[in-house]
Amino acid sequence: MRYKFAGLLGLALLAGVVTACNDDDNYSAGPRNDNGFYIPDQNDEYLDLEPGDNSITFQVARPVGGPATTANLLHDADPVFNIPSAVEFAEGESVADVTVTFNMEDLLMKDYYISIAISPDEVCAYGDSQLDLTVGVADHLRWKSLGTGLYRDAFLCELMEDNFDEFDNWADYQYECEIMEHKYYSGVYRLVKPYGSGGSFEINCEDPNGCYIEQQNLGQVISGTNLYVFSYAANYLNNGNSLGAIINAGYCGKLENGMITFPLLNDAGSLLTAFPPYLGSFIPCNSRGEFLVMLPDTYSSTPVPAVPVAAQTE
């Protein structure tokens, strides 16, 4: 098990409100005192769960040992996690363990958010009074292999072709690679090391008419700098636009007949590359429409479409 305890990303609890075991979900922080309890610093940011895991342990502390006592806990979490409502301190003990239990077989292939807090009238002046965890089944368990598919590049190939004369034919390059699908988010695909080295990348096709690529590291290094790839559609989504509006505007890719394509947009393409630390400077890609992914079943039974004429014409 690899621990990565973290603050919640986007959990709307953190105005100091969590749900108590008695379902009283409204409380405000009480006055701090030197005789109360706190949660020591957690050094990790996320918790990956592996087969055989059935518990998560963290600590609650008090400034000094004293008589045997109990600290009450409030929490907000999916019912799949069994969280104690209190933690017992033996006489003289200043730190006590709290164990959260679960059945690994009950977990879906997604992230879960857990918030645990010390009862507000028992909080002391030291440390944190609340612990927020992001936990989930380890990433390698979340995917199923569909087999070998085909990937025709419109990121690295077009970038190199436009800037280096010796790569004039890169728009024709296409690669066989393993393609996986997420077990929980149907229609989210991962292309596994499509260039044979470097990283993998994912395409979200949950809506087959609204495909997009979130910003991610392609695992290729150009002039000593990592290359990031993404799509205009993902950028607009992250700026608060609805997927429906982005589809209507023509920015999204499509999954049709087992093939994923992205459109041309005024000859500028609908895909993007960028180089850290210059992620604000985007380079349009797919300006000739060569991008193509063929899912394994289609690739095994369908001739590969030709590179678009536009992609073959300088």
Side-chain angles (χ1 to χ4, degrees):
M1 179 189 303
R2 180 162 56 89
Y3 289 90
K4 296 189 196 183
F5 287 167
L8 288 184
L9 303 175
L11 183 63
L13 298 168
L14 302 186
V17 178
V18 293
T19 301
C21 300
N22 60 5
D23 292 328
D24 179 7
D25 59 0
N26 294 300
Y27 75 89
S28 58
R32 292 181 177 268
N33 62 81
D34 291 341
N35 299 316
F37 305 93
Y38 66 97
I39 298 175
D41 291 340
Q42 305 291 339
N43 295 323
D44 300 297
E45 296 182 348
Y46 190 90
L47 174 59
D48 276 345
L49 303 175
E50 298 281 355
D53 290 342
N54 55 24
S55 65
I56 303 165
T57 299
F58 66 97
Q59 292 182 326
V60 173
R62 53 181 175 174
V64 295
T69 189
T70 299
N72 293 302
L73 301 175
L74 310 173
H75 65 79
D76 190 305
D78 190 285
V80 72
F81 296 98
N82 302 305
I83 303 175
S85 60
V87 54
E88 303 287 339
F89 286 79
E91 183 175 357
E93 188 175 50
S94 61
V95 177
D97 288 339
V98 178
T99 299
V100 177
T101 60
F102 56 89
N103 184 345
M104 187 73 169
E105 294 179 357
D106 293 337
L107 299 184
L108 300 176
M109 299 296 171
K110 65 174 187 175
D111 286 342
Y112 291 88
Y113 305 103
I114 302 173
S115 186
I116 302 171
I118 296 167
S119 182
D121 57 353
E122 297 177 357
V123 173
C124 82
Y126 303 91
D128 294 324
S129 62
Q130 183 168 307
L131 176 65
D132 300 302
L133 312 177
T134 304
V135 305
V137 175
D139 183 75
H140 68 91
L141 300 173
R142 300 187 186 198
W143 299 86
K144 61 182 178 183
S145 178
L146 301 180
T148 299
L150 179 127
Y151 166 56
R152 186 160 68 210
D153 179 34
F155 291 117
L156 184 61
C157 295
E158 183 170 330
L159 181 68
M160 299 296 284
E161 179 186 276
D162 287 345
N163 290 278
F164 300 95
D165 291 340
E166 61 266 34
F167 290 106
D168 281 345
N169 297 318
W170 272 46
D172 298 292
Y173 277 33
Q174 49 199 27
Y175 312 86
E176 288 188 338
C177 66
E178 181 184 12
I179 297 179
M180 309 180 86
E181 184 176 13
H182 202 282
K183 292 180 180 178
Y184 184 74
Y185 300 107
S186 178
V188 176
Y189 300 100
R190 173 178 286 178
L191 278 62
V192 180
K193 295 185 177 180
Y195 299 97
S197 63
S200 306
F201 75 94
E202 295 160 19
I203 306 175
N204 190 312
C205 300
E206 291 180 281
D207 183 330
N209 293 309
C211 302
Y212 59 91
I213 300 172
E214 292 282 4
Q215 189 177 106
Q216 51 205 290
N217 188 347
L218 192 60
Q220 301 297 311
V221 178
I222 308 295
S223 299
T225 304
N226 286 319
L227 179 66
Y228 279 68
V229 299
F230 46 115
S231 68
Y232 274 108
N235 252 18
Y236 288 125
L237 275 175
N238 292 333
N239 286 329
N241 298 280
S242 71
L243 183 60
I246 299 168
I247 292 173
N248 290 336
Y251 287 101
C252 290
K254 287 189 175 183
L255 169 59
E256 292 182 300
N257 301 318
M259 291 182 279
I260 303 169
T261 58
F262 278 82
L264 298 174
L265 291 171
N266 301 320
D267 296 325
S270 53
L271 302 176
L272 299 162
T273 57
F275 299 89
Y278 309 108
L279 285 175
S281 299
F282 307 144
I283 303 170
C285 291
N286 199 42
S287 60
R288 287 156 296 206
E290 63 264 39
F291 183 94
L292 174 69
V293 172
M294 297 183 73
L295 299 180
D297 284 349
T298 298
Y299 180 49
S300 66
S301 60
T302 307
V304 178
V307 177
V309 173
Q312 302 179 42
T313 303
E314 297 299 325

